[in-house]
Amino acid sequence: MVRTDGRQPAEMRPVTLVTPCTKHAEGSCRIEVGDTVVLCTASVTDRVPPFLRDSGRGWVTAEYGMLPRSTSTRTDREAAKGKQSGRTLEIQRLIGRALRSVVDLTQIGDRTITIDCDVLQADGGTRTASITGGFVALAQALQWLKTERNAFPRIPLNDPVAAISVGVVQNQLLLDLNYAEDSDAMVDMNVVMTGRGCFVEVQGTAEAFPFTRQRLDDMLDLSAKAIQDLIAKQREALGGLV
Amino acid sequence: MVRTDGRQPAEMRPVTLVTPCTKHAEGSCRIEVGDTVVLCTASVTDRVPPFLRDSGRGWVTAEYGMLPRSTSTRTDREAAKGKQSGRTLEIQRLIGRALRSVVDLTQIGDRTITIDCDVLQADGGTRTASITGGFVALAQALQWLKTERNAFPRIPLNDPVAAISVGVVQNQLLLDLNYAEDSDAMVDMNVVMTGRGCFVEVQGTAEAFPFTRQRLDDMLDLSAKAIQDLIAKQREALGGLV
Amino acid sequence: MVRTDGRQPAEMRPVTLVTPCTKHAEGSCRIEVGDTVVLCTASVTDRVPPFLRDSGRGWVTAEYGMLPRSTSTRTDREAAKGKQSGRTLEIQRLIGRALRSVVDLTQIGDRTITIDCDVLQADGGTRTASITGGFVALAQALQWLKTERNAFPRIPLNDPVAAISVGVVQNQLLLDLNYAEDSDAMVDMNVVMTGRGCFVEVQGTAEAFPFTRQRLDDMLDLSAKAIQDLIAKQREALGGLV
Amino acid sequence: MVRTDGRQPAEMRPVTLVTPCTKHAEGSCRIEVGDTVVLCTASVTDRVPPFLRDSGRGWVTAEYGMLPRSTSTRTDREAAKGKQSGRTLEIQRLIGRALRSVVDLTQIGDRTITIDCDVLQADGGTRTASITGGFVALAQALQWLKTERNAFPRIPLNDPVAAISVGVVQNQLLLDLNYAEDSDAMVDMNVVMTGRGCFVEVQGTAEAFPFTRQRLDDMLDLSAKAIQDLIAKQREALGGLV
Amino acid sequence: MVRTDGRQPAEMRPVTLVTPCTKHAEGSCRIEVGDTVVLCTASVTDRVPPFLRDSGRGWVTAEYGMLPRSTSTRTDREAAKGKQSGRTLEIQRLIGRALRSVVDLTQIGDRTITIDCDVLQADGGTRTASITGGFVALAQALQWLKTERNAFPRIPLNDPVAAISVGVVQNQLLLDLNYAEDSDAMVDMNVVMTGRGCFVEVQGTAEAFPFTRQRLDDMLDLSAKAIQDLIAKQREALGGLV
Amino acid sequence: MVRTDGRQPAEMRPVTLVTPCTKHAEGSCRIEVGDTVVLCTASVTDRVPPFLRDSGRGWVTAEYGMLPRSTSTRTDREAAKGKQSGRTLEIQRLIGRALRSVVDLTQIGDRTITIDCDVLQADGGTRTASITGGFVALAQALQWLKTERNAFPRIPLNDPVAAISVGVVQNQLLLDLNYAEDSDAMVDMNVVMTGRGCFVEVQGTAEAFPFTRQRLDDMLDLSAKAIQDLIAKQREALGGLV
């Protein structure tokens, strides 16, 4: 099978990380994965959610949104509809969990770091791009806390974290699905992994065709390798910060 | 490690499936997994969502809710707060996807089957219990369509589907976590699988401690076996319907 | 006229009170009145609404909901629609007022007792069943406050309270209307009364046919007797607590 | 006991009905009951709610609102809060039921008549004033349908309908409670009655003090007389229309 | 061109200011401009919005609403729809800004004065009538603060403020457009001005036909004169208070 | 007075128009005015709002949003709050009116063109930048309709339209206020004008200091000149399309 954009089955799209990319945020990263473009910012505020009050722990959370015309046909604006869709809530919960998994929250103090991931242009893989780009913005915000606020002697990150999608299309394993491939996939999997090669999140879903254990193993193998490439790019973009 | 309820690490809680359990619904099942109790009903309506109009395909969807005092302290009623939480939306999307994966929607016609899963009492594992019990209600509703509506000559189910949780608590692999164990888990995984042993959904999440491939493999092995036990109970409850 | 379920005009449906019926709540009662089934729980929280702050008085309030398929055709979930209907709000205000009328709120202290009444299966009379079952859950929660919290030397209940419906169908007076009768009623009345035979709430509504004073008197007579039977069942369920 | 405004216990406040009172509506009435002022308008639209579609029957419904500073301290605007309170919904359901009880809906055709009752100044009894004034607006709108639309040869009203409150304050029976009396009442009752002396709605509520049957009978007697006075005023305002 | 109501192009409709016009509010004014009727009340509360806390400054704000049948066909109630329209929010922001421009907020202390402008009958120019009438209510509330609360030795108003609309209909300049004229206007302008003849707000909008600088100058000239007439009426209604 | 960024009082910030700037939209323009960056897209859909159905006229409308961290401190996401602010609604209504003023809607047919203006980075003047950039996106979408859909022989634009702000800071007239200047302004004015020098919208607001006619005239003069410069840039970006 030839992929629509000419890639090999195990080939990722070109990835660009531009950082910083906005003047106001404590950390920011514009990530491009093929035609998918996500603007990730990290904002530090000096308070924690109610359930952490007086706990001595800080918080890292994420919000996700798509510009109305980031998609091939216009999607109604969630602010105008008056609520965020289940998909949006599910994605931002995933991004938040993924990023929290590598931070030592006890070092953050009474602060919340909010990672906003806004999709400027969508072509599949926006949630994994948000995690990969969001990590870069997060690392910068932690660096800002270290240098501008003396919040800690070294930034409290245990490991980098990045994410990739993998799927089965027309019975073939493909890495990093674009939108057309994703719409066509029999199985769709998102893998979030750390620099040391441990899993943070594994979400595999059969779209109509349940999959075997062998297929699952192959998808995990393929994604593990790709994530190390992404982490190398994160390290480069962050100039040795992590 | 001794589990709080005396179980072995690889031991499920007692499971009861009561069906039918309500007079109005086309299908219904009350599932008890230890102290977790979920009331699942299947409702047939003669219309499909807009995106399926004129497609000739039917739809299966799910909704999930918890009674305010199904939990150990009272949870605010979502109807009173005016919106469903991200957790609720995420769970009901999962249940819907899981059940759709084993139904031949082209046989359903211009109909929607809505599976309502309402938690009467919660003690961990409500989403997996909802899938296991929801399948029973769904199968009955399909049987009702066959016998009462002559909708199809045989019910369009490819395979039974059931779900279980597995996790890592204090570094030990445990099957079917109760609420106390779940709150304490380093890793939490939900596995949805069919009677033929294929995966429908795999969702593993590290809570602060990323996990190795070996750990992931062990969790998948443990859950695969348990799911076949659940499917045997579903077959028994359905009296050979599937 | 023969009633659809063979009852005499002045005959109530069989009533069952199961208590306790859930493991988490401070009080609970599953009430069945014919095919109507309501799960009532009482939850104690250590705060009061803003308007009672620093008043030294506690509060008793109620919330009401119907499971989507408690009804003969599926009703949309209020949490999904994003608001509670006028009917729901009206019913839960009625339940709350009825239960408060027999409690000495000055004894409750800075606490709120919330009675959740969730209809598992509906066949008419859900609001009156909620009051009758809710009282049992409330009495238990007060007993819990007495024994587990030493909140007061004796539980601050002045009298039991219960409720019944009565109506006029095809010009005949009927007690305890089921759903079919209620849909057909010319007059529909809900009566809430205490063990000493005093009224707490009287709500009579003409559906298209205004009714005479004589009719009103007859309805009051009929309901008064039935409520004493319900209160006897409450006392029995509560084992002499009230 | 002397009443705060010097009235006798069985004495209503002065009632004024100004009709028509606005230039756009098909019917309108400004009702003043002491310091309570409600603006009632009737609007005719050429459609019915979904549940009446193709039924051949029309509909009469009501909406109720209070201007933010109709009350002694400012009440937040429901439009700004984004929802109507339970009290508002309960009142407008009551007004709608009361007015529908005297209309022959089969004569209305595919039309809805909406009665808007907006409280310009509140001093107790706004819901009963809304019914009394709303009937006048409704009768005019029906007259407009007859003369301007030839909708029917005679207006399809079976009887006038009006409403009054009665209550027990400091153990004394009082007619037509003002706000101060209402806040102090042990029992509060609203009675809706027709010109022929039949009941449309009876709502009696004990505020902390359950009441006897004798008390109930006295309240009904007192209100019946007052309502005939109100109906005489309605007839006068309508110039013999009913 | 003859205007539908016989006015000259530069002629305002008759204006009446009735004040006070309600018993509860600290200030109130019923303004009638032709068939447009707006009830304006001023309510004083002893708190300020969060952004002014501990600033020593008070606040003046406005809310605006239309009764459902103030318009020629019924408009849905914003409280029932669950949100205020963009038009409503825009108008109430305008009224608030206009009134704040003449108040010395540093004299108000920790208080908010809320001006509610509710349209009882609409025939064009409701936003400008709200400003003109709202100023009268505001001045009275300030007088109440001075005499009843000793809040300040003289009321902290720099100047009266009033507003008028002006527009171009069928290429002719018209003052104070009624609804029919407004619907037909090529240009629509609202001017808010002080007693000393300074501008507080100028909002001119081309409806399909962009307008020249000369046209703009003519509209400003015409409105300036009219506003001084309105301010004379405000002074008269306030009995020399400003 | 020296401006914070060294500009002369009558000097605009550098303006860049990048077009097209996104792959999916029928028209798009990224406008940068100093540090303010707005992404404008134009989306064509084949339907009109209800009030234009069967009118033969099309519609042009706008929506506006700010990314949460486009501002110097993070602003809550409107989608998460569940409603758009009054400011947002007011701005998008302004953009829509401004763009409609130069389009011949009778040529658009049963189509709606939605201009989405999303602020990626804010430093004052986002609404005027949205109009200027939105026009470019709109013109492209019309060109797309002409060439890809043969919707009309020439694009139905009467004139280009652009907008600029002007204000008074520390008593000095300044063109094109940045955020710091805007926060400090005594008077703030937005002017929308066409290529032929006619006004589409004039909105001048006194922030606490009412302004004279002379001041108003000076502001209009200053903005008129600047808008012609903006229109020259639009023409250049559009390559002679208008």
Side-chain angles (χ1 to χ4, degrees):
Chain A
M1 190 183 81
V2 181
R3 299 179 74 168
T4 51
D5 50 10
R7 279 185 288 155
Q8 294 301 313
E11 187 184 349
M12 260 198 304
R13 290 175 287 180
V15 174
T16 312
L17 299 169
V18 179
T19 171
C21 65
T22 177
K23 93 183 226 206
H24 297 303
E26 284 77 38
S28 65
C29 177
R30 176 182 166 104
I31 180 169
E32 304 185 5
V33 179
D35 280 337
T36 289
V37 184
V38 184
L39 185 58
C40 308
T41 58
S43 299
V44 177
T45 48
D46 288 331
R47 59 176 178 278
V48 289
F51 69 90
L52 285 179
R53 214 160 278 160
D54 305 317
S55 72
R57 299 174 67 215
W59 193 238
V60 172
T61 187
E63 295 197 4
Y64 171 92
M66 299 181 91
L67 294 197
R69 197 52 195 279
S70 60
T71 44
S72 63
T73 57
R74 189 176 182 272
T75 308
D76 285 344
R77 196 175 283 268
E78 293 189 330
K81 288 195 294 184
K83 66 174 179 175
Q84 295 176 294
S85 70
R87 177 185 174 274
T88 291
L89 293 170
E90 190 173 317
I91 290 176
Q92 65 192 21
R93 284 159 56 91
L94 168 65
I95 302 170
R97 279 198 311 272
L99 296 179
R100 277 193 299 279
S101 74
V102 294
V103 180
D104 181 355
L105 296 173
T106 63
Q107 302 284 309
I108 306 295
D110 283 342
R111 296 186 183 92
T112 296
I113 304 177
T114 303
I115 310 298
D116 284 290
C117 301
D118 285 276
V119 179
L120 303 190
Q121 191 169 276
D123 188 26
T126 62
R127 77 186 71 189
T128 50
S130 295
I131 291 170
T132 304
F135 174 76
V136 174
L138 170 62
Q140 287 179 319
L142 290 170
Q143 175 70 359
W144 179 89
L145 275 171
K146 175 173 172 283
T147 57
E148 303 295 316
R149 289 288 178 275
N150 285 314
F152 22 67
R154 49 175 293 279
I155 64 172
L157 278 174
N158 303 324
D159 215 359
V161 67
I164 195 77
S165 78
V166 58
V168 180
V169 181
Q170 290 173 34
N171 227 26
Q172 174 152 11
L173 206 65
L174 299 183
L175 184 71
D176 185 25
L177 279 57
N178 64 24
Y179 181 75
E181 293 167 340
D182 189 55
S183 306
D184 233 33
M186 303 160 70
V187 181
D188 177 23
M189 188 166 208
N190 293 297
V191 178
V192 187
M193 222 171 183
T194 64
R196 292 192 190 90
C198 284
F199 294 101
V200 166
E201 189 107 12
V202 173
Q203 291 195 343
T205 301
E207 309 281 351
F209 296 89
F211 53 95
T212 62
R213 175 67 177 269
Q214 182 60 50
R215 192 64 106 177
L216 176 56
D217 287 341
D218 293 347
M219 290 192 286
L220 293 170
D221 292 341
L222 187 54
S223 53
K225 200 189 143 304
I227 285 176
Q228 294 313 316
D229 293 346
L230 289 169
I231 286 175
K233 282 179 194 290
Q234 289 175 326
R235 289 191 200 273
E236 185 184 357
L238 286 165
L241 195 66
V242 294
Chain B
M1 190 184 79
V2 182
R3 297 179 75 166
T4 52
D5 51 9
R7 278 186 287 155
Q8 293 301 312
E11 187 183 349
M12 259 198 304
R13 290 175 288 180
V15 174
T16 312
L17 300 168
V18 180
T19 172
C21 67
T22 178
K23 95 183 226 205
H24 296 301
E26 283 77 40
S28 64
C29 177
R30 175 182 167 105
I31 180 170
E32 303 185 6
V33 179
D35 281 337
T36 288
V37 184
V38 185
L39 187 56
C40 308
T41 58
S43 300
V44 177
T45 47
D46 287 332
R47 61 174 176 276
V48 290
F51 69 91
L52 286 179
R53 216 161 277 162
D54 304 318
S55 72
R57 298 175 67 215
W59 192 237
V60 172
T61 187
E63 295 197 5
Y64 171 92
M66 301 182 89
L67 294 198
R69 197 52 195 278
S70 60
T71 45
S72 65
T73 56
R74 188 176 182 274
T75 307
D76 285 343
R77 193 176 286 268
E78 291 189 331
K81 288 194 293 184
K83 66 172 179 177
Q84 294 177 293
S85 70
R87 177 185 173 275
T88 291
L89 293 170
E90 188 173 319
I91 290 175
Q92 66 192 19
R93 284 159 55 92
L94 168 65
I95 302 169
R97 279 197 310 270
L99 297 178
R100 276 193 300 277
S101 74
V102 293
V103 180
D104 180 355
L105 296 173
T106 63
Q107 300 285 309
I108 306 295
D110 283 341
R111 298 186 183 93
T112 297
I113 305 178
T114 303
I115 310 297
D116 285 289
C117 301
D118 284 276
V119 179
L120 304 189
Q121 192 169 277
D123 189 26
T126 62
R127 79 185 71 188
T128 50
S130 294
I131 291 169
T132 305
F135 174 76
V136 175
L138 169 62
Q140 288 180 319
L142 290 170
Q143 175 70 1
W144 178 90
L145 275 170
K146 174 172 173 285
T147 58
E148 303 295 316
R149 289 287 178 275
N150 287 315
F152 22 68
R154 48 174 295 278
I155 63 171
L157 276 173
N158 303 325
D159 214 359
V161 66
I164 194 76
S165 78
V166 58
V168 180
V169 181
Q170 291 172 33
N171 228 27
Q172 175 154 12
L173 206 65
L174 298 183
L175 184 71
D176 185 24
L177 279 57
N178 65 25
Y179 180 75
E181 293 167 342
D182 188 56
S183 308
D184 233 34
M186 300 159 70
V187 182
D188 177 22
M189 187 166 208
N190 293 297
V191 178
V192 186
M193 221 171 184
T194 64
R196 291 192 189 91
C198 284
F199 294 102
V200 167
E201 187 106 12
V202 172
Q203 291 195 344
T205 302
E207 309 281 351
F209 296 88
F211 53 94
T212 62
R213 176 67 179 268
Q214 182 60 50
R215 193 62 107 179
L216 175 57
D217 287 340
D218 293 347
M219 290 192 288
L220 293 170
D221 292 341
L222 188 53
S223 54
K225 199 188 145 303
I227 284 176
Q228 295 312 316
D229 293 347
L230 288 169
I231 286 175
K233 283 180 194 289
Q234 289 175 327
R235 290 192 199 272
E236 186 184 358
L238 286 165
L241 196 66
V242 293
Chain C
M1 191 184 80
V2 181
R3 298 179 73 168
T4 51
D5 51 9
R7 279 186 287 154
Q8 293 300 312
E11 188 183 347
M12 259 197 306
R13 290 174 289 179
V15 174
T16 311
L17 300 168
V18 179
T19 171
C21 66
T22 177
K23 92 183 229 203
H24 297 301
E26 284 77 39
S28 65
C29 177
R30 177 182 164 104
I31 181 169
E32 303 185 5
V33 179
D35 280 337
T36 288
V37 183
V38 185
L39 186 56
C40 308
T41 58
S43 300
V44 177
T45 47
D46 288 332
R47 60 175 176 277
V48 289
F51 70 91
L52 285 179
R53 215 160 279 161
D54 304 317
S55 73
R57 299 175 67 216
W59 192 238
V60 172
T61 187
E63 295 196 6
Y64 171 93
M66 301 182 89
L67 294 198
R69 198 52 196 278
S70 61
T71 44
S72 65
T73 57
R74 188 175 182 272
T75 309
D76 285 343
R77 196 176 285 267
E78 292 189 329
K81 289 194 293 184
K83 67 174 178 174
Q84 296 175 293
S85 70
R87 177 185 174 274
T88 291
L89 293 170
E90 188 173 320
I91 290 175
Q92 65 191 20
R93 283 160 55 93
L94 168 65
I95 301 169
R97 281 197 310 270
L99 296 178
R100 278 194 298 278
S101 74
V102 293
V103 180
D104 181 354
L105 296 173
T106 63
Q107 300 285 308
I108 305 295
D110 283 343
R111 296 186 185 93
T112 296
I113 305 177
T114 303
I115 310 296
D116 284 290
C117 301
D118 285 275
V119 179
L120 304 189
Q121 192 171 276
D123 189 26
T126 62
R127 77 186 71 188
T128 52
S130 294
I131 292 170
T132 304
F135 174 77
V136 174
L138 170 62
Q140 287 179 320
L142 291 170
Q143 176 69 1
W144 179 89
L145 275 170
K146 175 171 172 283
T147 58
E148 303 296 317
R149 290 288 179 275
N150 286 313
F152 21 68
R154 46 173 298 277
I155 63 171
L157 278 173
N158 303 325
D159 215 359
V161 67
I164 194 77
S165 78
V166 58
V168 180
V169 180
Q170 291 173 31
N171 228 28
Q172 173 152 10
L173 207 64
L174 298 183
L175 185 70
D176 185 24
L177 279 58
N178 63 26
Y179 180 75
E181 293 167 341
D182 189 56
S183 307
D184 233 33
M186 302 159 68
V187 182
D188 178 21
M189 186 167 210
N190 293 296
V191 179
V192 187
M193 221 172 185
T194 65
R196 291 193 188 90
C198 284
F199 294 102
V200 166
E201 188 106 12
V202 172
Q203 291 196 344
T205 301
E207 310 281 351
F209 296 88
F211 53 95
T212 62
R213 176 67 177 268
Q214 182 59 49
R215 194 60 107 178
L216 175 57
D217 287 342
D218 292 348
M219 290 193 287
L220 292 169
D221 292 342
L222 188 54
S223 55
K225 199 188 144 304
I227 284 176
Q228 295 312 316
D229 292 346
L230 287 169
I231 285 175
K233 281 180 194 290
Q234 288 175 326
R235 289 192 200 273
E236 186 183 356
L238 286 165
L241 196 66
V242 293
Chain D
M1 191 183 80
V2 181
R3 296 178 77 167
T4 50
D5 51 9
R7 279 186 288 155
Q8 293 301 311
E11 187 183 350
M12 259 198 305
R13 291 175 287 181
V15 174
T16 311
L17 299 169
V18 179
T19 172
C21 66
T22 177
K23 97 182 224 205
H24 297 302
E26 284 78 38
S28 65
C29 177
R30 176 182 165 105
I31 179 169
E32 304 185 4
V33 180
D35 281 337
T36 288
V37 184
V38 185
L39 185 58
C40 308
T41 58
S43 299
V44 177
T45 48
D46 288 332
R47 61 175 176 276
V48 289
F51 70 91
L52 286 179
R53 216 160 278 161
D54 304 317
S55 71
R57 300 174 65 214
W59 192 239
V60 173
T61 187
E63 294 198 6
Y64 171 92
M66 301 182 88
L67 293 197
R69 197 52 195 279
S70 61
T71 45
S72 65
T73 57
R74 187 175 183 274
T75 307
D76 284 343
R77 194 176 286 268
E78 291 188 330
K81 288 195 294 184
K83 67 173 179 177
Q84 294 176 295
S85 71
R87 176 185 174 275
T88 291
L89 294 170
E90 189 173 320
I91 290 175
Q92 66 192 20
R93 283 159 55 91
L94 168 65
I95 301 169
R97 280 198 310 272
L99 297 178
R100 277 192 299 278
S101 73
V102 294
V103 180
D104 181 355
L105 296 173
T106 63
Q107 301 286 309
I108 305 295
D110 283 342
R111 296 187 184 94
T112 297
I113 306 177
T114 303
I115 310 297
D116 284 290
C117 301
D118 284 276
V119 178
L120 303 189
Q121 192 171 275
D123 189 27
T126 62
R127 78 185 72 188
T128 50
S130 295
I131 292 169
T132 304
F135 174 77
V136 175
L138 170 62
Q140 289 180 320
L142 291 170
Q143 175 69 1
W144 178 90
L145 276 170
K146 175 172 172 284
T147 58
E148 304 293 318
R149 289 286 179 276
N150 286 315
F152 21 68
R154 50 175 293 278
I155 64 171
L157 278 173
N158 303 325
D159 214 1
V161 65
I164 194 76
S165 78
V166 59
V168 180
V169 181
Q170 291 174 34
N171 229 27
Q172 175 152 10
L173 207 65
L174 299 182
L175 185 71
D176 184 24
L177 278 58
N178 64 25
Y179 181 74
E181 292 167 342
D182 189 56
S183 306
D184 234 33
M186 301 158 70
V187 181
D188 177 21
M189 189 164 206
N190 294 297
V191 178
V192 186
M193 222 171 184
T194 64
R196 293 195 187 88
C198 283
F199 294 102
V200 166
E201 188 107 12
V202 173
Q203 291 196 344
T205 302
E207 309 281 351
F209 296 89
F211 53 95
T212 62
R213 174 67 178 269
Q214 182 60 52
R215 193 63 105 180
L216 176 56
D217 287 341
D218 293 348
M219 291 192 288
L220 292 169
D221 292 342
L222 188 53
S223 53
K225 202 190 143 303
I227 284 175
Q228 296 312 316
D229 293 347
L230 288 169
I231 285 175
K233 283 180 193 290
Q234 288 175 328
R235 290 192 200 272
E236 186 183 357
L238 286 165
L241 195 67
V242 293
Chain E
M1 191 184 80
V2 181
R3 298 179 74 168
T4 52
D5 50 9
R7 280 186 286 154
Q8 293 301 312
E11 187 183 349
M12 259 198 304
R13 291 175 288 180
V15 174
T16 313
L17 300 168
V18 179
T19 171
C21 66
T22 176
K23 93 184 226 203
H24 296 303
E26 283 78 39
S28 65
C29 176
R30 177 182 164 104
I31 180 169
E32 303 185 6
V33 180
D35 280 336
T36 288
V37 184
V38 185
L39 185 58
C40 308
T41 58
S43 299
V44 178
T45 48
D46 288 331
R47 60 174 178 279
V48 288
F51 69 91
L52 285 178
R53 214 160 278 159
D54 304 318
S55 71
R57 299 176 65 216
W59 192 238
V60 172
T61 186
E63 294 197 6
Y64 171 91
M66 300 182 90
L67 293 198
R69 197 54 195 280
S70 60
T71 43
S72 65
T73 57
R74 187 175 183 272
T75 308
D76 284 344
R77 195 176 284 268
E78 292 189 330
K81 288 194 292 183
K83 65 175 182 177
Q84 295 176 294
S85 70
R87 177 185 174 274
T88 292
L89 292 171
E90 188 172 320
I91 291 175
Q92 64 192 21
R93 284 159 55 92
L94 167 65
I95 302 169
R97 280 199 310 271
L99 296 179
R100 276 194 299 280
S101 73
V102 293
V103 180
D104 181 354
L105 296 173
T106 63
Q107 301 284 309
I108 306 294
D110 283 342
R111 296 185 184 92
T112 296
I113 305 178
T114 304
I115 309 297
D116 285 290
C117 302
D118 284 275
V119 179
L120 304 190
Q121 193 170 274
D123 188 26
T126 63
R127 77 186 71 190
T128 50
S130 294
I131 291 169
T132 305
F135 174 76
V136 175
L138 170 62
Q140 287 178 321
L142 291 171
Q143 175 71 358
W144 178 89
L145 275 171
K146 174 171 174 284
T147 58
E148 302 296 316
R149 289 287 180 274
N150 286 313
F152 22 67
R154 48 176 294 279
I155 63 170
L157 277 173
N158 303 325
D159 215 1
V161 66
I164 194 77
S165 79
V166 58
V168 180
V169 181
Q170 289 173 33
N171 228 27
Q172 174 152 12
L173 207 64
L174 298 183
L175 185 69
D176 185 25
L177 279 57
N178 64 25
Y179 181 75
E181 292 167 342
D182 188 55
S183 306
D184 234 32
M186 300 159 70
V187 182
D188 177 22
M189 188 167 208
N190 293 297
V191 179
V192 186
M193 221 172 184
T194 64
R196 291 194 189 90
C198 284
F199 294 101
V200 166
E201 188 107 12
V202 172
Q203 291 195 343
T205 301
E207 310 280 351
F209 295 89
F211 51 96
T212 62
R213 176 66 178 269
Q214 182 60 50
R215 193 63 105 177
L216 176 57
D217 287 341
D218 293 348
M219 291 192 285
L220 292 170
D221 292 341
L222 187 55
S223 53
K225 199 189 145 303
I227 284 176
Q228 296 311 316
D229 294 347
L230 288 169
I231 285 174
K233 283 179 193 289
Q234 288 175 327
R235 291 191 199 273
E236 185 183 357
L238 286 165
L241 196 66
V242 292
Chain F
M1 192 185 77
V2 181
R3 297 179 76 167
T4 52
D5 50 9
R7 278 186 287 155
Q8 294 300 312
E11 186 183 349
M12 260 199 303
R13 291 175 287 179
V15 174
T16 311
L17 299 169
V18 179
T19 173
C21 65
T22 177
K23 95 182 224 205
H24 297 303
E26 284 77 40
S28 65
C29 178
R30 176 183 166 106
I31 179 169
E32 303 185 6
V33 180
D35 281 337
T36 288
V37 183
V38 185
L39 186 57
C40 307
T41 58
S43 300
V44 177
T45 48
D46 287 332
R47 60 174 176 277
V48 289
F51 69 90
L52 285 179
R53 215 160 277 160
D54 305 316
S55 71
R57 299 175 66 215
W59 192 237
V60 172
T61 186
E63 295 198 5
Y64 171 92
M66 300 182 89
L67 293 198
R69 196 54 194 278
S70 60
T71 43
S72 65
T73 57
R74 188 176 182 273
T75 308
D76 284 344
R77 195 176 285 266
E78 291 188 331
K81 288 195 293 184
K83 66 174 181 177
Q84 294 176 294
S85 70
R87 176 184 174 276
T88 291
L89 293 169
E90 190 172 319
I91 290 175
Q92 66 191 22
R93 283 158 55 91
L94 167 66
I95 302 169
R97 279 199 310 271
L99 296 179
R100 277 193 299 279
S101 74
V102 293
V103 180
D104 180 354
L105 296 173
T106 63
Q107 301 285 309
I108 306 294
D110 283 341
R111 298 186 183 93
T112 297
I113 305 177
T114 303
I115 310 298
D116 285 290
C117 301
D118 284 275
V119 179
L120 304 189
Q121 193 171 276
D123 189 27
T126 63
R127 78 186 69 189
T128 49
S130 295
I131 291 169
T132 304
F135 173 77
V136 174
L138 170 62
Q140 288 179 320
L142 291 170
Q143 174 70 359
W144 178 91
L145 275 170
K146 174 170 173 286
T147 59
E148 304 294 316
R149 289 286 179 276
N150 285 315
F152 21 67
R154 49 175 294 278
I155 64 172
L157 277 174
N158 303 325
D159 214 1
V161 66
I164 194 76
S165 79
V166 58
V168 181
V169 180
Q170 290 174 33
N171 228 25
Q172 174 152 12
L173 206 64
L174 299 183
L175 184 71
D176 184 24
L177 279 56
N178 64 24
Y179 180 75
E181 292 167 342
D182 189 55
S183 307
D184 234 34
M186 302 159 71
V187 181
D188 177 21
M189 188 165 208
N190 293 297
V191 179
V192 186
M193 222 170 183
T194 65
R196 291 196 188 88
C198 284
F199 294 102
V200 167
E201 187 107 12
V202 172
Q203 291 195 342
T205 301
E207 309 279 351
F209 295 89
F211 52 95
T212 62
R213 177 66 178 269
Q214 181 61 50
R215 192 63 106 177
L216 176 57
D217 287 341
D218 293 347
M219 290 192 286
L220 292 170
D221 292 342
L222 187 54
S223 53
K225 198 188 146 304
I227 284 175
Q228 296 312 318
D229 293 346
L230 288 169
I231 285 174
K233 283 180 193 289
Q234 289 175 326
R235 290 192 198 271
E236 184 183 0
L238 286 165
L241 195 68
V242 293

